[in-house]
Every structure is written in structure tokens, then in C-alpha cells.
Amino acid sequence: MSSSATAVVNGGISFWFADDGLPAVREPLTGDATADVVIVGGGYTGLWTAYYLKKAAPFLRVTVLEQKFCGYGASGRNGGWLYNGIAGRDRYAKLHGHEAAVRLQRAMNDTVAEVVRTAEAERIEADIHQGGVLEVARTPAQLARLKDFHALELSYGEKDRELYGAGETAERIRVADAVGSTWTPHGARLHPVKLVKGLAAAVEALGVVIHERTPVTEIRPKHAVTPYGMVRAPYVLRCTEGFTASLKGQRRTWLPMNSSMVVTEPLTAEQWASVGWDGREALGDMAHAYMYAQRTADGRIALGGRGVPYRFGSRTDNDGRTQTATVEALREILVGFFPSLAGVAVEHAWSGVLGVPRDWCATVTLDRATGLGWAGGYVGSGVATTNLAGRTLCDLVQLDSGQGGRTELTSLPWVGHKVRKWEPEPLRWLGVQGLYATYRAADRRESASDAATSSKLARVADRVSGRH
């Protein structure tokens, strides 16, 4: 097959939907309605929240409002990395103490197992394979960062993490120029769309009402406003992640960061033999403009990176179409990692947005004065974090309504965290474009150097971005 980008299926939401098929769209809202809890957003966060609420209190009337169809956003476009990373943990350690951050990390470790357990219990076939997460270093500077990262994870209580040298890494996967890696068992590969479809079916079976093709234009205390009517409820939970900026008054709350992916044609047995990857680990690296990849259940490689990171005015793509230059850049990463795959065709490319708070910290909040709640800002770690967020929102609603008490989840340090808004345009656009240009320049500089220290450019970018 040709490896030319012109042959690539581009957009169409994502390969995952092309592979598993678009869902039959549910009916929109047909007028004013009432509920006990209304959830805005039919992605992982909203569906997990609905699931745990109905499990905890089957009598609750729970309604989910989704602007397109369940999984249309990041939940149906991500890389299928179910892993234990959470955005903002190090900052929470500074704000609340190391032990609080250890509890947060322990909760994330448990969350990976919880998603796998629930998928099995609900008979959701999502191509889950628990191979863990392997992150590789390919330059001296990346190796130094990898060792620091490994030590940091151990300090947060992850005693089952392992550090490998070049030889041990090659035994797992043959990444060109790999000089080391770190592996955690707290990770799995999955098919994002199969998970979101199965979850939507599971919550409907529990009695949750889902209205699709129902965009929410404004959230007010006890009201979710749509073109077709209002849904009134004591609790209104915003679970809109990268699409939050489209809501009235929320344009600068979370920045919609663009992430792009490609997927190859199925590899032959000989090609897989040249690559290794028998453990089917989720694969990442220690570059500043990092990549993420998985070996799919049908024998492809799905690989992603940032591409064009942000569109002026917090605009979001609809069909996921990706610039040709981004497709080619991701293909170059693929061949750079696996030179033996130079002739392999890229079959599909797509993009989607994720939510980025100004301090890069994921949060869960319920305002007890208004009944308004929200969760998100996962900065690309949402496949697992959404589950923890859903369980936490459930516990917060139970606590506030008197149906439950304080739990371990309601005391985690990301609960109730507040952060300032992003800068207005054009500062927002200029800042993000400059930020990722600097990260890419830092990666190029490190690749051309034998220095075992990170580029000063990356350290400057980290400070400007608010990540550290």
C-alpha cells in the first residue's frame, strides 16, 4: 500500500468510530423537563458520573444532555491509554502536602483496576489489554528526565514500577535509539469507542435518560438551558472538558488543546517480529512534545501527538480533520521509532480537543451553595481520570444531599481546587503557539546533543506555561 498522506482517511471523527461504527443517535430533548441531577456532556466524565449515581441511589432521576452523540468529543478520539497519570499531582503536593498527593496517586492506581473491573462486570468488550505503560528515552537528556521521573513516581508510593536499561527495553520493544525506559503495571490499552458505547448502554439500562443532539448553551443554578427547553434539577454537573469554552461565560475557563492521531494499516507477522511489543504496553516517550501510542487489537499502531495545538478564540474542530503537515509529522515519529516500518501505510488521521486549565491541574468541584458541579481539565490523561472524577462527583452529590457522608474520594486534594482563567486573545493564541514551538525546538536541540541535561528552552517554556 502507498504510504502517501494523500491516501489517508482524514477526519470522520476518528478511526475508532470508523472501526466500530457510528451509534444510532438518541432522541433530543423535546421540551422543558425536570430531574434530580442533570449532567451536561455525554463523554466519559458524564457517563461515569451517571453510572455511579444510579448505582449508589437507583431512585435518582438522572438526565444526560449531549450536543452531538455520546463519545463525540475526546472520549471517542483519544489514544486509548487507560493509565494512572493525573494532571496536577505535583502542584497538589506543594499545596496540600506530599501525603495528600500520595493519596491522589493511590486513587489513580486503583482507578485503572476499577475501569477494568467495571467493564468486565457490565460485559463491555473494549479490547482492554493490561500490559502497563512503557515510557522510553532516546537521548541522554531524555534518559536523565526518565530517571528523575522514575524516582519521583517511586516517591509517590508506586513500588511496582520498574526501570530498564537499553538491553531490557529492546527485549520488550525495539524502538530505535532507545537508551532506557520505565514501566508501570498500572495501565492498559483499550478501544475508546467500544468503551464509551458500552458505558452509555450500561447507564441507560440503569434508567438514566440520555438526550443527544441537544446542545446546552448555558448552565445556571438548577437549570441547563438548551434550544429545545430547560432541564431543571437541584444539581447541574458540567462534564464538557475541551468543549467547555462553548458555554456562556466559560470561554477562558479551560483551553481546548488540540491533539492529533494517526493509525497504520494492520502490520504483518514479520513486521511485528521486527518491532517486538509482545506485551502490548501503552507506549510513550520523554520528549517535551511527547508522543503516545498503542498496539491495537487488530494489529495496527495508533500514534498521537500535539499537531496544531490550539485554534484562535478557543475554537474546536468538528469532524476531526487534520492538517497534512501534522499527518506527515506523526508518520515521521512512527518511522523514527520503528525504521523497519518505513513502508507501512497510514490509513486514518484525526484530531480532537482536551481541556487545559491555566495551572494544568485536573479538578472536581461541587458548589454546595448553587448545586453546580464540574470535573475536567485532564490535560490528556482523561481515560482513567474521568472514572475517578465520576465517582468523586457521585460522592459529593451524595454528601450534599444527605444521602452519604464524607469519603476518601471527597477528601482528595483535587476536590474544590480553583484556578484563574486563561488570558484573553490574542495573548492566549500567541502564548500556546509559542509554547509548543519552544518545546519542539528543545527536542531538536536535545536530539543533536550528547548533553544529559534538559534544554534551557524547555525549562523556560515550563515556567511560562504554568506547568511547573
Side-chain angles (χ1 to χ4, degrees):
M1 293 180 66
S2 168
S3 61
S4 168
T6 58
V8 176
V9 175
N10 198 329
I13 306 173
S14 72
F15 163 76
W16 310 117
F17 274 115
D19 178 57
D20 200 59
L22 292 174
V25 181
R26 298 169 176 88
E27 289 299 311
L29 185 70
T30 56
D32 291 347
T34 60
D36 297 310
V37 181
V38 60
I39 296 169
V40 181
Y44 290 150
T45 305
L47 294 174
W48 281 125
T49 303
Y51 178 83
Y52 288 106
L53 280 168
K54 287 294 282 187
K55 282 289 192 179
F59 56 84
L60 283 177
R61 296 173 302 148
V62 179
T63 296
V64 174
L65 302 177
E66 163 56 41
Q67 67 164 337
K68 297 283 189 177
F69 52 80
C70 289
Y72 176 80
S75 299
R77 307 183 193 219
N78 63 80
W81 265 48
L82 178 73
Y83 86 118
N84 66 340
I86 184 168
R89 182 197 60 190
D90 296 346
R91 187 180 294 273
Y92 287 131
K94 293 176 183 176
L95 292 172
H96 300 278
H98 183 74
E99 181 52 37
V102 169
R103 289 192 294 108
L104 182 60
Q105 185 59 65
R106 190 181 303 126
M108 280 304 306
N109 296 348
D110 294 342
T111 293
V112 173
E114 169 67 10
V115 173
V116 175
R117 183 199 66 75
T118 305
E120 290 176 351
E122 296 296 340
R123 299 182 180 179
I124 299 171
E125 298 291 340
D127 298 340
I128 296 173
H129 180 85
Q130 284 187 273
V133 180
L134 186 74
E135 293 173 272
V136 301
R138 301 177 66 215
T139 68
Q142 286 187 21
L143 183 61
R145 283 199 298 276
L146 182 136
K147 289 179 177 177
D148 289 344
F149 169 71
H150 179 83
L152 185 65
E153 298 309 293
L154 294 183
S155 77
Y156 283 110
E158 199 180 332
K159 303 306 183 188
D160 43 6
R161 177 176 285 273
E162 298 176 6
L163 183 67
Y164 303 133
E168 292 170 303
T169 301
E171 290 175 5
R172 282 181 170 262
I173 187 169
R174 285 182 278 284
V175 172
D177 304 320
V179 290
S181 61
T182 179
W183 175 82
T184 175
H186 301 290
R189 167 218 78 190
L190 55 75
H191 190 301
V193 162
K194 290 181 180 180
L195 178 61
V196 78
K197 282 184 177 179
L199 192 52
V203 300
E204 276 193 317
L206 291 172
V208 172
V209 175
I210 301 176
H211 290 298
E212 296 180 328
R213 295 175 289 174
T214 305
V216 173
T217 55
E218 184 181 359
I219 292 173
R220 302 199 299 258
K222 298 181 172 52
H223 297 80
V225 182
T226 85
Y228 308 115
M230 286 192 293
V231 181
R232 294 174 173 82
Y235 299 100
V236 183
L237 308 180
R238 189 187 79 222
C239 303
T240 47
E241 187 57 355
F243 290 89
T244 299
S246 64
L247 291 165
K248 183 177 180 179
Q250 302 293 335
R251 184 168 294 277
R252 291 165 54 198
T253 299
W254 291 333
L255 184 139
M257 184 77 76
N258 205 49
S259 198
S260 300
M261 292 197 69
V262 296
V263 68
T264 68
E265 64 183 327
L267 272 59
T268 65
E270 292 75 19
Q271 287 168 332
W272 279 121
S274 74
V275 169
W277 210 349
D278 295 333
R280 292 166 173 76
E281 304 91 341
L283 176 67
D285 74 349
M286 300 305 293
H288 300 292
Y290 53 84
M291 59 77 75
Y292 50 94
Q294 68 149 287
R295 176 175 175 168
T296 67
D298 62 347
R300 306 168 187 266
I301 293 177
L303 181 147
R306 280 295 174 264
V308 177
Y310 174 70
R311 300 184 185 280
F312 191 88
S314 293
R315 294 198 305 272
T316 54
D317 291 320
N318 288 325
D319 70 351
R321 187 163 182 82
T322 301
Q323 290 188 347
T324 300
T326 298
V327 178
E328 291 293 349
L330 292 173
R331 180 179 170 74
E332 286 177 13
I333 293 173
L334 172 71
V335 176
F337 269 60
F338 308 114
S340 65
L341 303 184
V344 169
V346 167
E347 283 198 347
H348 203 129
W350 70 97
S351 296
V353 292
L354 48 99
V356 181
R358 187 61 183 86
D359 65 352
W360 301 70
C361 290
T363 56
V364 180
T365 297
L366 179 66
D367 183 341
R368 303 186 72 171
T370 63
L372 297 178
W374 57 89
Y378 307 121
V379 196
S381 299
V383 179
T385 315
T386 50
N387 176 275
L388 181 61
R391 285 185 285 137
T392 306
L393 276 175
C394 170
D395 284 3
L396 289 170
V397 169
Q398 290 281 94
L399 173 63
D400 186 72
S401 63
Q403 299 295 322
R406 296 187 183 279
T407 68
E408 190 174 317
L409 298 187
T410 61
S411 68
L412 290 174
W414 70 328
V415 174
H417 179 72
K418 293 182 173 60
V419 63
R420 67 182 174 92
K421 292 180 179 291
W422 281 88
E423 290 79 1
E425 297 291 21
L427 296 177
R428 191 157 74 246
W429 185 87
L430 290 169
V432 177
Q433 299 298 327
L435 178 70
Y436 275 91
T438 303
Y439 280 136
R440 285 190 283 266
D443 285 330
R444 289 193 297 270
R445 187 170 292 186
E446 290 177 6
S447 294
S449 170
D450 292 330
T453 56
S454 295
S455 167
K456 292 180 180 178
L457 288 174
R459 292 199 291 272
V460 170
D462 281 344
R463 284 196 295 271
V464 170
S465 71
R467 294 170 84 167
H468 297 291

